[in-house]
Amino acid sequence: MDMNTLLSFNWSAMLPEFIVLGTATLLSLLDLFMGAKKDRRILGWIGLAGISAALISLLSLFGPDEVTILYDTFVLDPFAKAFKTIFLLGSAIVFLLAISYDPKDKIERGEFYYLLLTALLGAMIMSSSRDLITLFVGLELLSLSSYILAGIRKKQLKSNEAALKYLVNGGISTALTLFGMSYLYGITGTTNLIEMQPQLNQINDPSIYYVLGISFLMIFVGLSFKIATVPFHMWAPDVYEGSPTPVTAFLSVVSKAAGFVLILRLFLWVFATIPVNSISESMLVSMQGFVAIVAAITMVVGNTIAIRQKNVKRMLAYSSIAHAGYLLVALSSFSTLFYLDTIWFYLVTYVFMNLGAFAVLQLVMKETGSEDLTAFAGLAKRSPFIAISLTVFLLSLAGIPGTAGFIGKLSIFMSTLTSSTPQIVLAAIMIATTVISYIYYFGILTQVYFRTSEEVKKIHLKKPVILVLIVCIAGTILLGLFPTIALDFFYSTF
């Protein structure tokens, strides 16, 4: 590639990525030259400013136009814009949590902040990738950063265990995903998703269909590790428990959303174009039953095992697994009325309600030194504001009317009924498991309002956490009462 060709690209399409990359580089240099005893929280504020600038630059690029550069390997299309908004918004909230995180955990180091930025950069690259190679590069950038963040508390055994389990399971999932991708390359002779489509449309050899089916299953299983669906979920509770709370929050929201972005990119752009059985049915639709079974098992296992948890971090881990099942329900519906917008809206609501819950958990852990369910006893008397905030988030996670979580679950439920083949059984399982989730969500609220604690000390609130709680409460309630705010924003990008 000569200099003229390099300069001919419309690099403004990558402006948000350049800002995040530049901020991460700046933080690494500042951390290198700062004294050992200097407070690194200033790096967190600089990182937050970089994320805000990236979000503003992304909003300035909104519009119906699609921009492709680097020989169609990087695309700034409505899909990328919509999901990058989730990544940047979620990461900004996580940074506020990281800035206010308790320094007793010995992670007051600069790499804690710029590794979050590199993980964010990987997720953003994935959302704009239109090539298997760039998809994989983004996935690995996100994964490698996450492995280090999970084990950043080097002197704590649980953190070491979290990093090791995450690394091993992540390596297995990466190998399976890459193996599945290799079949696509072997059949089509290209790594570009757009160039694959005309070749896959012309396939009529049953043996090739068999290989493509294996490719689909291997990619789906590999990515199921990333989004923590059953039975590929066993790493999630231990990793969530052992990681620092801001890292756990990042993994539960941004990393999970990135996993679904990768699934949507590959499945909608590749497998949805492969005709099987008849011209009107694609390979993606033919795998509907398989995806539905995984979704059903994930919802049942995630919600039922969460009931047995006494550690709230592990409880939220199994809750996250259950919510991955809800999202798979939307994915398996292939509804003409509800599909991409349903998944996007649910991920937006999940940002607010789940990160808000982790913010409260971080506050309680700081004051009590415990993640146990009993640490929330008497919270309503110690801090009414925190208790009310937690109530809003848990009610939304449970899907109670008036909250964003209810609208998200309702949209998914409607998608199962409006698909070409209504999935009544899957809809019934979703309702039943949602009711089961009330047991452990309301169990926390029982501790908050109806149990007493010997600890009467009020919980001290720092300004970054107050801002997180206000933003998350506002998002959870507003999207519950006026969901068209988010949906109109989504539709305006397409």
Side-chain angles (χ1 to χ4, degrees):
M1 183 186 300
D2 55 31
M3 184 58 67
N4 291 332
T5 303
L6 189 64
L7 295 176
S8 67
F9 292 131
N10 186 2
W11 292 108
S12 63
M14 294 188 71
L15 183 57
E17 283 80 4
F18 285 140
I19 293 175
V20 173
L21 176 61
T23 306
T25 304
L26 176 62
L27 293 188
S28 64
L29 293 175
L30 291 175
D31 180 50
L32 179 63
F33 292 104
M34 286 178 69
K37 296 183 180 179
K38 293 288 186 179
D39 188 359
R40 257 58 177 180
R41 293 181 191 274
I42 185 63
L43 301 182
W45 288 112
I46 296 174
L48 179 60
I51 293 175
S52 301
L55 181 58
I56 293 172
S57 68
L58 176 65
L59 295 177
S60 69
L61 297 172
F62 266 55
D65 296 334
E66 179 180 298
V67 180
T68 60
I69 59 175
L70 299 174
Y71 300 106
D72 210 24
T73 60
F74 185 95
V75 58
L76 186 65
D77 58 359
F79 178 91
K81 295 170 188 175
F83 284 95
K84 282 181 187 179
T85 304
I86 295 178
F87 298 150
L88 290 167
L89 180 61
S91 297
I93 297 174
V94 169
F95 255 78
L96 289 172
L97 291 179
I99 291 169
S100 60
Y101 194 56
D102 194 346
K104 290 187 296 183
D105 287 293
K106 306 299 181 183
I107 60 168
E108 187 57 24
R109 300 194 299 271
E111 57 264 34
F112 182 56
Y113 300 107
Y114 57 76
L115 282 172
L116 283 172
L117 286 176
T118 55
L120 168 63
L121 180 61
M124 295 174 68
I125 291 173
M126 287 165 59
S127 65
S128 281
S129 295
R130 201 178 266 180
D131 189 277
L132 294 180
I133 295 176
T134 50
L135 277 171
F136 184 72
V137 169
L139 176 63
E140 284 306 284
L141 183 56
L142 169 63
S143 299
L144 292 174
S145 301
S146 300
Y147 301 153
I148 301 171
L149 286 169
I152 201 166
R153 297 184 296 181
K154 297 186 296 183
K155 297 182 180 180
Q156 294 201 14
L157 293 178
K158 285 188 176 181
S159 187
N160 297 337
E161 180 186 2
L164 180 60
K165 288 186 175 180
Y166 200 14
L167 176 62
V168 172
N169 284 277
I172 295 172
S173 68
T174 297
L176 289 171
T177 303
L178 195 58
F179 202 178
M181 289 179 176
S182 69
Y183 281 122
L184 293 176
Y185 172 71
I187 292 171
T188 62
T190 179
T191 57
N192 189 280
L193 302 184
I194 299 300
E195 294 177 3
M196 286 181 184
Q197 291 180 355
Q199 298 186 53
L200 294 174
N201 280 330
Q202 298 173 2
I203 292 175
N204 54 14
D205 187 345
S207 62
I208 300 298
Y209 286 136
Y210 177 77
V211 174
L212 287 171
I214 295 176
S215 175
F216 177 93
L217 292 175
M218 295 191 74
I219 292 175
F220 184 78
V221 169
L223 295 178
S224 292
F225 278 97
K226 297 296 182 184
I227 61 177
T229 60
V230 178
F232 317 107
H233 68 289
M234 295 306 295
W235 61 271
D238 293 326
V239 172
Y240 279 34
E241 182 182 7
S243 302
T245 304
V247 176
T248 304
F250 181 87
L251 295 177
S252 69
V253 174
V254 179
S255 182
K256 186 180 292 292
F260 274 98
V261 163
L262 187 50
I263 289 175
L264 291 171
R265 270 289 185 197
L266 283 174
F267 290 1
L268 293 182
W269 270 261
V270 178
F271 294 104
T273 65
I274 304 173
V276 294
N277 298 331
S278 66
I279 298 177
S280 61
E281 185 177 272
S282 68
M283 175 168 285
L284 183 60
V285 174
S286 69
M287 293 290 185
Q288 184 180 33
F290 174 76
V291 178
I293 290 173
V294 174
I297 296 174
T298 301
M299 289 187 292
V300 172
V301 172
N303 283 306
T304 53
I305 298 184
I307 297 173
R308 302 283 297 174
Q309 304 304 309
K310 300 302 180 183
N311 183 294
V312 177
K313 242 186 182 181
R314 294 183 70 88
M315 184 184 295
L316 290 177
Y318 281 104
S319 167
S320 179
I321 292 168
H323 283 277
Y326 299 145
L327 286 164
L328 281 183
V329 172
L331 181 65
S332 67
S333 67
F334 308 124
S335 170
T336 55
L337 297 179
F338 306 94
Y339 188 39
L340 194 58
D341 54 347
T342 299
I343 295 175
W344 183 85
F345 180 82
Y346 198 87
L347 287 172
V348 171
T349 63
Y350 195 64
V351 166
F352 293 117
M353 59 190 181
N354 206 52
L355 290 183
F358 274 109
V360 174
L361 175 61
Q362 179 173 302
L363 288 170
V364 173
M365 285 174 56
K366 180 181 177 182
E367 295 298 326
T368 64
S370 172
E371 301 171 356
D372 194 79
L373 186 61
T374 56
F376 289 81
L379 184 62
K381 293 182 179 180
R382 286 184 284 159
S383 179
F385 173 67
I386 297 178
I388 293 173
S389 301
L390 181 60
T391 302
V392 172
F393 303 138
L394 292 179
L395 290 179
S396 185
L397 286 168
I400 300 300
T403 63
F406 170 75
I407 301 298
K409 283 191 173 69
L410 179 62
S411 298
I412 293 175
F413 177 77
M414 292 300 296
S415 72
T416 63
L417 302 180
T418 57
S419 61
S420 56
T421 54
Q423 298 174 296
I424 306 300
V425 175
L426 192 60
I429 293 174
M430 181 180 175
I431 293 176
T433 53
T434 298
V435 173
I436 291 174
S437 71
Y438 295 168
I439 299 174
Y440 58 89
Y441 287 135
F442 292 165
I444 300 177
L445 295 180
T446 300
Q447 294 287 333
V448 171
Y449 292 102
F450 303 109
R451 298 291 184 268
T452 58
S453 172
E454 297 178 359
E455 180 65 54
V456 294
K457 180 181 177 182
K458 289 187 176 181
I459 297 179
H460 176 67
L461 289 172
K462 293 184 177 181
K463 291 181 180 179
V465 181
I466 294 176
L467 181 58
V468 169
L469 294 177
I470 292 174
V471 169
C472 291
I473 289 174
T476 302
I477 294 177
L478 282 177
L479 294 183
L481 299 177
F482 309 102
T484 53
I485 295 175
L487 292 174
D488 288 344
F489 174 83
F490 176 83
Y491 295 136
S492 67
T493 65
F494 280 81

